[in-house]
Each structure stands twice: as C-alpha cells, then as structure tokens.
Amino acid sequence: MGYSPLYFLEQTFKNIVRGKGMDLVSVLVLMSCLLVSGSFYAVNENINYNLESLGALNKILAYIDEEMTDEQIRQIKEEVEGLENVKSVDLISKEQALEDEKNRLGEEYADIFDWLEEGENPYRASLEVEYLSTDGVEELEKALGEIDGVESVQSRANTAQKVSELKKAVSKVFLAMMALLFLVSLFIIVTTVKLALHQRSKEISVMRYVGASALFISIPFLLEGLLIGGLAAVIAFAVQHWIYGAVAAQVGKEFFGIISILPADELSNALLIGFLVIGLATGLVGSIFAVIKRITD
Amino acid sequence: MIEFKNVTKMYDRHTPALENVSLKIEDGEFVFIVGESGAGKTTLTKLLLRQTRASKGDIVVDGKRLKRLGLFTLPRYRRKIGFVFQDFRLFDQMTVYENIAFAMRAVGAGRKRIRRSIPLLLKIVDLETKAERFPSELSGGEQQRVALARALANNPKYIIADEPTGNIDEKHARELIALLSKISEMGKTVIVVTHEKALVEDFGKRVITISRGHLVADRHISQEKE
Ligand SMILES: Nc1ncnc2c1ncn2[C@@H]1O[C@H](COP(=O)(O)OP(=O)(O)OP(=O)(O)O)[C@@H](O)[C@H]1O
Ligand SMILES: [Mg+2]
C-alpha cells in the first residue's frame, strides 16, 4: 500500500490554504467554547476547594469566651459531648488556630503575623462539633449557644448550603452556554469541512470512480477536523492559563484571607487533557458529519 | 461478464430512463451503445458504475449483484472498471503524469509501481513525450487519450467510455476507437457509448441500440459491409 501520512497531511494543508479563513474561524469559535468550559471548571474547582477549607459540612464551630481557663474549657467540652445529636467534639486551641491560619496563608504571607508580640494571639479557642443528623442542627446550635462560656456559634452547614446553591445557579448558566457554543462550533466545523469537500468535488468524484476507499477519501478531511480541534485546545489552554493567573492575582488581592485560590498548576493537567479530548472529539465528529454524506451517496 | 436482467431505471415517477432492459456482455467483447439523445445511454453507464441504482431488476457483474454493494465492497468493485468521462475530468493544475499518478495513488499504488507504469500507459496512448505537459497544453484528442490512460492505470477488466468522441474531430475520433479496439484485443471488455452512427458502421463490432429507454436492436455489424 502506498498510503503515506505525508500525502494526507499535504492534502489537509491544501484544504486549509483554500479554506478562505474558515478554518481559523472554526478554531476561534471552538477555542471560545473551550475557554467557557475551562472557566466553569476552574470556578467549580475553586468553590469546592473553599468549601473544603471551610470544613466538612456536618460540623458546627462554637467559639469559646476569651476569659475561659483551660480547665473551664475542658468542662465546656464535656458538657457539649453530652448534648443530643453530637458525634464528636474537637478542641481547637488558640495556638492551633493561629498555626492553622499561618499554614493556610502559606509562606508568602508568613510575615503578616510579625506585628504580634511574643505570646500574643488574636484567635479564640473553639470547639468543632460534629453532629449525627442534619435534622437536629438548629436545636443543637441553640443548645450550644446557651452554654456558659460559649461566645458564638457558627454553623458551616448554612454557609455550605448557600455556596452549593450558588454553585447550582452558576452551573446552569455555564452549562447552557457550553451547550450552545458546542453546537455553534460543531456547525462551523461541519461548514468548513463541507467547503473543503466542495472545492475538491472533482478530485473526489475521480477518486470515487477509480475505486478509492471511503477512508482514503475521508482522511484529509478528518485530519482537518482534528487539526482544528487540536489547535483550538492548545490555544485555549494557553489563554486559560494566562487568564487564570490574572484573575487569581486579582481575587487574591481583593478577597485576601476570605477566598483561597487553587494554584494554576493543580488545574492545568486536567484542563489540558480535557481541552484536547473535547477539542479533538468535536473536530472529528464535525468532520465525520460533513464527510459521511459525500462518501456514502 | 456483465448481465442486465430486466433493468428499469426511473429518475422520477413518470418516465423511465431505461425500461426492462436485458443484455449480456461477455468478457473481452467490444460493444458500442448507440441511441438518440436522451435515449438512456449515460444512464446505462451510471448503473454499471453504480453511480445510481436500478429501480427494478438486477445488474450482475462477475457474479456480483450491484445492488448488494456497500461502503467497502463498492470501491473494490469500481477498481474493475476504467471509466472515461465525456468531459475528460482531468486536473488542469496537474501534469499528464500527475493526473495518472493521482488515480493510481487513490487505490493505494506505491511510488515504484506508479513510476514504472506511467511510461507504459503513455506509450499505449501514444503520448510518451507529453508526460510533463499540462492538459491545457494538449489538443482535445490528446486530452481524451490522457483520460483513457488514466482509466487504464489500475489495470481494470472493463473499460467504459461515455461519448469519448464527443469533443474531438472525426479523424481523431476514428483513431481513438481504433485505440480502444486495440485495448480490447489486450483482453479487456470495452463498452463505448456514442451517437455517431457513421463511426460505428465502420468498425464491425457488436452494436446495442437504445431508443427512449428501450433496447431496440442488438446486432453485429460485419466489416465487409463497407
Ligand atoms: N439525474 C437525472 N434526474 C432525472 N432525470 C434524468 C437524470 N439523468 C437523466 N435523466 C433523464 O433520463 C433520460 C435518459 O438520460 P441519459 O442521460 O441516459 O440519456 P443519453 O442517452 O445519455 O443522452 P445523450 O446522448 O444526450 O447524452 C433523459 O430523459 C434524461 O432527461
Ligand atoms: Mg449521455
């Protein structure tokens, strides 16, 4: 067999040169589609990440009055352990709270606590109360609040619920946009490849009448679709990386200490693989749609 | 062997382009197909190439029923047929050599085979010196012979030519038919569609006449008649 990969690639490049910029348009549209999907993914991952750092969903934090001695705190802990619907209670000391916060902010911001005098600590001790059932959370919160020495109660369930509602709303918008953009991308790729087929109709008719296989005729066009998809993926990845860095820096500055941002490196593998898979698949499916009728009629 | 069994082709519901046509063409035969314009001659070649399907009846080539051919078997079947288009269908931006190579590469011929075969093919059609010319630099008759060389390139069993003489003058037309006749002597089955009666009379071959979609005559014209 004399089928050479180089021959097919050459044909594909001819298609692109003759494509009057349609291939470029296809790449750009598919790229925007991938960018929207990638941003969705990045936002979603960051929400999850922040949820995690808020703590598990089935926990309540009870902050202890600053005046309390260690002994008193131990008594409060025992009292809490005796409450209904309580699974376990963890004591987070002032020192540990400070340490956790330092760790959370990381090396970069280590000097932020330098103004503290030796032994000074702005944090309060707290009890992390894990409960058994969500149904009795309100009663439990109330009971905790009534205990002497408990200054305030923070239910993370509430926050978590709000965040996950937000997540759902954001998801709907993104998913709708993604679906629409994918349809548009697919349509444009089909149109682009159909144009290439049209410009080669004489060659295709001769190939068909001398008995070229359907695959032989299709390969340059399938490659064109794959190339559009691959290129869109790589460019989208580069752009996404850049945007993410810029947005992360901005958010980090404005919501410092409130929202933590995942480092770009943690997302990049999944993003690159995802973009390549989606991009190549869209390109291939689009070109198959375009080619199928021309070679089976 | 080619066999038409009660073949009817309807492009639309009203008038059949071919109606109830039955015929047999043995291997190695040379056959003219004649008939007035619109008789159904091109339809017959389209059916043979399976460019279109019979509405009724069966076409059987070498034991294979054409209506049964699919995505994978149709290309293999078509490699048995060398088709000469009336409009030549050569590529203007390719040389004679490249035009023929294109058809060979399309069915998987390797470089070596292409390089070896093309000079031989060009010799058959008497165009050895024109390999590097572009179609626009050739006469109509020469272009037609390039198209013929391309049809021969993959060593098909059948050669089908639809109005091969339509675009060339009479002298060249005769030469082309003589060439096709020579090719048939090389063992190929040759089917030539034409409406030039005078030409047909001179060659002493089998002539199938179609009129308004019906097969109206199938006879051998003896060469002595001249
Ligand atoms: N694709 C088509 N759709 C509808 N009708 C068609 C089609 N092709 C041919 N016909 C009709 O079928 C009939 C036979 O056409 P065909 O092309 O076979 O004639 P022909 O004998 O080759 O004529 P000519 O000598 O002019 O080439 C004609 O009436 C023509 O109008
Ligand atoms: Mg015709």
Side-chain angles (χ1 to χ4, degrees):
Chain A
M1 291 299 229
Y3 296 170
S4 102
L6 233 64
Y7 166 79
F8 292 121
L9 270 179
E10 197 188 318
Q11 302 307 309
T12 305
F13 279 111
K14 271 190 198 160
N15 284 354
I16 293 171
V17 169
R18 295 184 202 165
K20 302 197 175 114
M22 277 297 284
D23 293 84
L24 188 66
V25 174
S26 296
V27 169
L28 291 178
V29 172
L30 183 55
M31 187 202 76
S32 334
C33 171
L34 290 171
L35 272 181
V36 171
S37 314
S39 309
F40 172 52
Y41 171 75
V43 168
N44 207 47
E45 285 299 290
N46 273 291
I47 290 176
N48 287 343
Y49 178 60
N50 279 284
L51 275 183
E52 245 165 59
S53 70
L54 270 177
L57 301 186
N58 55 340
K59 280 179 186 168
I60 299 174
L61 267 190
Y63 290 103
I64 311 282
D65 204 318
E66 236 173 306
E67 248 88 282
M68 296 290 127
T69 62
D70 288 354
E71 179 56 33
Q72 281 171 312
I73 292 174
R74 211 171 27 248
Q75 275 171 13
I76 295 171
K77 184 173 180 243
E78 266 169 37
E79 195 176 336
V80 172
E81 278 166 345
L83 289 173
E84 221 172 291
N85 198 18
V86 169
K87 192 178 170 202
S88 67
V89 182
D90 259 341
L91 172 66
I92 299 168
S93 66
K94 291 168 101 170
E95 293 72 27
Q96 202 183 329
L98 176 63
E99 203 54 39
D100 284 352
E101 193 60 13
K102 275 183 180 167
N103 286 337
R104 194 169 78 83
L105 293 175
E107 292 272 311
E108 218 176 316
Y109 298 103
D111 55 356
I112 219 164
F113 295 101
D114 285 357
W115 53 272
L116 293 175
E117 303 260 333
E118 184 69 27
E120 202 178 350
N121 185 341
Y123 291 91
R124 290 166 298 169
S126 59
L127 290 173
E128 199 176 71
V129 183
E130 190 177 356
Y131 52 82
L132 292 165
S133 124
T134 329
D135 295 337
V137 174
E138 274 172 39
E139 286 86 345
L140 182 58
E141 264 177 51
K142 210 166 145 221
L144 284 169
E146 281 164 2
I147 292 175
D148 259 351
V150 171
E151 193 189 66
S152 65
V153 177
Q154 192 195 73
S155 169
R156 290 157 171 181
N158 225 346
T159 320
Q161 202 182 347
K162 272 184 196 142
V163 173
S164 77
E165 271 164 17
L166 180 75
K167 244 172 77 178
K168 269 187 204 149
V170 171
S171 296
K172 270 186 196 154
V173 175
F174 266 109
L175 287 176
M177 270 174 80
M178 268 162 64
L180 190 71
L181 279 167
F182 269 115
L183 282 180
V184 173
S185 309
L186 208 58
F187 175 78
I188 290 179
I189 291 172
V190 171
T191 308
T192 304
V193 177
K194 272 191 174 164
L195 177 76
L197 282 159
H198 179 73
Q199 285 175 332
R200 285 177 171 264
S201 54
K202 188 169 160 188
E203 283 165 66
I204 292 172
S205 86
V206 171
M207 284 196 270
R208 293 192 63 191
Y209 292 133
V210 300
S213 71
L215 192 64
F216 179 85
I217 299 174
S218 316
I219 283 177
F221 302 98
L222 302 183
L223 277 181
E224 188 177 353
L226 284 173
L227 206 68
I228 291 171
L231 216 59
V234 171
I235 299 175
F237 178 73
V239 174
Q240 183 88 69
H241 212 270
W242 179 76
I243 291 179
Y244 189 87
V247 171
Q250 195 61 30
V251 172
K253 220 187 296 166
E254 295 199 4
F255 298 93
F256 178 75
I258 302 168
I259 297 175
S260 9
I261 301 282
L262 272 170
D265 291 346
E266 293 206 13
L267 297 176
S268 57
N269 276 346
L271 268 179
L272 185 59
I273 292 169
F275 278 6
L276 280 174
V277 169
I278 297 173
L280 293 174
T282 310
L284 188 62
V285 169
S287 51
I288 288 174
F289 273 152
V291 157
I292 203 101
K293 240 198 111 210
R294 190 66 185 79
I295 56 168
T296 53
D297 64 349
Chain B
M1 192 180 75
I2 294 171
E3 192 173 3
F4 277 56
K5 294 178 181 169
N6 308 102
V7 173
T8 295
K9 174 65 191 179
M10 315 275 288
Y11 286 110
D12 52 49
R13 271 191 213 143
H14 314 292
T15 42
L18 279 181
E19 193 169 14
N20 204 24
V21 169
S22 294
L23 59 85
K24 264 188 201 175
I25 298 171
E26 300 289 342
D27 289 352
E29 267 195 280
F30 189 113
V31 182
F32 282 116
I33 295 178
V34 299
E36 80 281 358
S37 181
K41 306 181 296 295
T42 296
T43 301
L44 195 141
T45 66
K46 278 187 184 169
L47 285 168
L48 261 179
L49 263 181
R50 239 301 296 277
Q51 195 180 341
T52 182
R53 291 169 200 249
S55 315
K56 269 185 233 154
D58 249 336
I59 301 167
V60 184
V61 178
D62 297 337
K64 293 231 165 61
R65 300 167 74 189
L66 299 199
K67 63 167 67 156
R68 289 282 171 80
L69 297 174
L71 188 62
F72 298 103
T73 46
L74 181 58
R76 225 169 300 144
Y77 163 71
R78 282 179 172 158
R79 290 177 196 193
K80 289 187 185 200
I81 299 176
F83 194 79
V84 183
F85 298 91
Q86 182 174 357
D87 62 359
F88 312 147
R89 228 168 277 193
L90 298 173
F91 302 112
D92 300 330
Q93 75 283 8
M94 297 185 198
T95 63
V96 167
Y97 184 98
E98 287 163 353
N99 264 285
I100 300 171
F102 177 88
M104 298 185 73
R105 200 161 38 220
V107 297
R111 278 166 190 276
K112 263 196 210 152
R113 222 182 89 203
I114 293 175
R115 224 178 302 143
R116 254 186 296 120
S117 310
I118 292 180
L120 301 175
L121 291 161
L122 289 176
K123 194 168 177 203
I124 294 174
V125 298
D126 198 20
L127 286 173
E128 294 131 291
T129 57
K130 310 277 167 105
E132 297 309 320
R133 297 286 188 87
F134 288 91
S136 58
E137 301 167 338
L138 301 176
S139 74
E142 286 168 335
Q143 289 182 36
Q144 185 61 287
R145 267 141 56 207
V146 176
L148 180 57
R150 184 176 64 185
L152 287 167
N154 295 317
N155 195 22
K157 184 172 170 190
Y158 303 95
I159 292 284
I160 302 174
D162 190 4
E163 304 276 7
T165 57
N167 286 328
I168 54 183
D169 65 36
E170 209 195 307
K171 179 173 156 284
H172 285 109
R174 269 170 212 286
E175 282 173 15
L176 184 75
I177 301 293
L179 181 58
L180 283 164
S181 172
K182 193 175 99 189
I183 285 162
S184 115
E185 276 154 27
M186 290 161 58
K188 300 196 186 296
T189 309
V190 178
I191 300 170
V192 178
V193 170
T194 180
H195 53 239
E196 291 176 60
K197 286 244 168 72
L199 204 66
V200 171
E201 301 287 328
D202 293 351
F203 274 88
K205 303 282 185 190
R206 180 178 172 192
V207 179
I208 293 172
T209 310
I210 301 175
S211 181
R212 293 192 189 174
H214 293 268
L215 195 156
V216 294
D218 186 346
R219 63 211 158 105
H220 272 275
I221 293 178
S222 59
Q223 224 156 359
E224 301 91 74
K225 206 181 158 188
E226 204 177 350

